[in-house]
Amino acid sequence: MTEQRFLSLLRYGISPKHNDAASLSSLSDEDWRGFMQQAGQQSVLGLCLDALDRLKSNGAMPPRNVLIKWIGSVMTLEKEYERQKVFIKELASFFSKHGLKMVLMKGYGLSKLYPIPKHRGSGDLDVYFCGKGQYADELIKEKGFEVKQNEEKHSVYSINGIHVENHASMICEQEHLSLLKVEEFLKDDLERNLHLDEETGCWLPSTMFNVVFLPLHFAGHFVYGGANLRQIVDYALVVKNANLNSDTNQIDWEKVKALAIEGGYFKFLCCLNGICMDHIGIPSDCFPDWPRYKDIEERILAEILNPTSVDVHSLPSKIKRYFKNRWKYQLVYSKENHLMGFLLRIRSWVNWKWGKKSVWNRK
């Protein structure tokens, strides 16, 4: 019941039209402290604070000490958001002077869909240069910053405490061969359907890119660790915004379905849509009439809210988590063999830990 009330609070932050206020009026002080902790863990502190602001007239408010701490945490998010926004503008300008378009995935671009953009917490910057990523890395090195290559998807570097991931690919298609065509679609869409963000000078992906990419990004964290509600909300708001602006942000659901079937994650995508409708509060007419798997939807949501596996870093712990999460793997990567997936992941880990391979030359 408490978890459902927390989701009610989240829904109210997304859309105050939902009649969720009554369920929040009888919460105890302990409940509110738990809500603040859960909101932080799920990276939705800002959205939930937006809900509290709208609920003031209904008397559904946490105790003063909790509210002050909550506001303080969100103010920190706001400051970091503004700092990143300035950094994005500077970095995009730097690359533009060298003839490069800096594409920014996730993060800042998605924040523009939120009721209050700066209330979406900021994380790493995920950038892409449409086949010119290696040149972009060389430019960063010339500025005196260290560029590392320790994952098969991207190189990494940090500037002024902001972590940047320069992507060679969108998904780990070398570990998940069933996703090769999805990877091709995503790269092709980034070549053809970008739009300029006037505020920062970076380039942002299309709605179709986000509708295909975000579920797989969430799926990877769901299988391997680090999934949270914000990743679901990001996808939900993309779909909701597309429905509100269907002339400019159309979703070709038949194409989305074809890619999901080809990639073996269609059932997972159906479940994600169901969660968005039943628990995030996105109207059902925003989504296609696809099959529902409510028992799996509830299991996915329960795992997000109360994960059985936390983020681990040692190799033995990662191996243990991998086999414990077999049901997740089979749901997301249904066309792949779980044991073979393990061997491919170990090969990738060893290669990028000790190998000489370049992320820009992966043959």
Side-chain angles (χ1 to χ4, degrees), residues 18-267:
H18 287 281
N19 187 24
D20 292 318
S23 67
L24 300 169
S25 59
S26 60
L27 290 171
S28 68
D29 290 0
E30 189 62 32
D31 288 335
W32 281 115
R33 279 189 284 271
F35 278 18
M36 184 177 69
Q37 182 180 11
Q38 182 78 291
Q41 291 171 347
Q42 299 297 332
S43 298
V44 290
L45 268 171
L47 268 178
C48 290
L49 184 66
D50 298 341
L52 292 179
D53 188 53
R54 294 165 178 165
L55 287 167
K56 285 187 292 190
S57 60
N58 295 283
M61 293 293 288
R64 181 177 175 81
N65 64 323
V66 174
L67 182 59
I68 290 173
K69 187 175 181 180
W70 204 320
I71 292 172
S73 296
V74 174
M75 288 178 67
T76 300
L77 291 180
E78 292 174 345
K79 290 178 181 177
E80 181 59 24
Y81 180 87
E82 294 299 340
R83 188 173 83 94
Q84 272 208 9
K85 190 173 177 181
V86 170
F87 177 76
I88 291 167
K89 186 174 182 178
E90 293 173 348
L91 196 63
S93 175
F94 167 74
F95 285 122
S96 180
K97 290 175 182 176
H98 291 86
L100 296 179
K101 287 183 177 180
M102 187 181 85
V103 183
L104 189 63
M105 302 180 292
K106 303 184 299 176
Y108 167 75
L110 297 177
S111 76
K112 298 169 81 71
L113 304 177
Y114 278 61
I116 301 177
K118 60 186 176 182
H119 284 183
R120 183 194 183 275
S122 304
D124 301 337
L125 294 186
D126 292 83
V127 299
Y128 182 69
F129 292 95
C130 300
K132 298 181 180 179
Q134 186 171 11
Y135 176 46
D137 274 358
E138 293 301 322
L139 292 174
I140 292 296
K141 290 177 184 178
E142 289 175 7
K143 296 284 286 184
F145 296 100
E146 182 183 14
V147 178
K148 298 179 181 180
Q149 298 189 9
N150 57 1
E151 285 194 32
E152 72 168 20
K153 286 193 302 183
H154 52 67
S155 59
V156 297
Y157 52 88
S158 293
I159 301 176
N160 299 329
I162 296 177
H163 187 75
V164 182
E165 297 180 349
N166 180 12
H167 282 252
S169 63
M170 308 304 114
I171 48 182
C172 294
E173 83 283 2
Q174 291 191 342
E175 290 182 25
H176 301 292
L177 301 180
S178 62
L179 299 178
L180 281 171
K181 287 192 175 180
V182 180
E183 175 72 19
E184 290 173 4
F185 169 83
L186 292 172
K187 285 184 175 177
D188 181 66
D189 196 78
L190 288 179
E191 293 280 353
R192 297 184 297 108
N193 295 316
L194 297 173
H195 64 277
L196 178 66
D197 178 64
E198 299 288 350
E199 290 185 79
T200 62
C202 73
W203 294 79
L204 301 177
S206 70
T207 296
M208 268 297 289
F209 174 91
N210 283 327
V211 169
V212 174
F213 171 69
L214 292 177
L216 282 171
H217 172 254
F218 168 62
H221 283 291
F222 178 66
V223 173
Y224 298 118
N228 59 46
L229 279 177
R230 188 185 69 184
Q231 294 158 356
I232 299 177
V233 171
D234 283 345
Y235 170 71
L237 290 179
V238 168
V239 174
K240 180 183 179 183
N241 184 68
N243 189 67
L244 294 174
N245 303 280
S246 57
D247 291 339
T248 56
N249 296 299
Q250 291 184 347
I251 299 174
D252 182 350
W253 285 111
E254 286 303 311
K255 179 63 175 179
V256 174
K257 180 179 180 179
L259 288 169
I261 291 174
E262 172 73 26
Y265 61 93
F266 181 61
K267 181 183 284 190

Side-chain angles (χ1 to χ4, degrees), residues 270-288:
C270 290
C271 292
L272 179 57
N273 287 354
I275 291 170
C276 290
M277 288 184 275
D278 288 358
H279 300 286
I280 306 301
I282 307 302
S284 60
D285 58 8
C286 292
F287 294 93

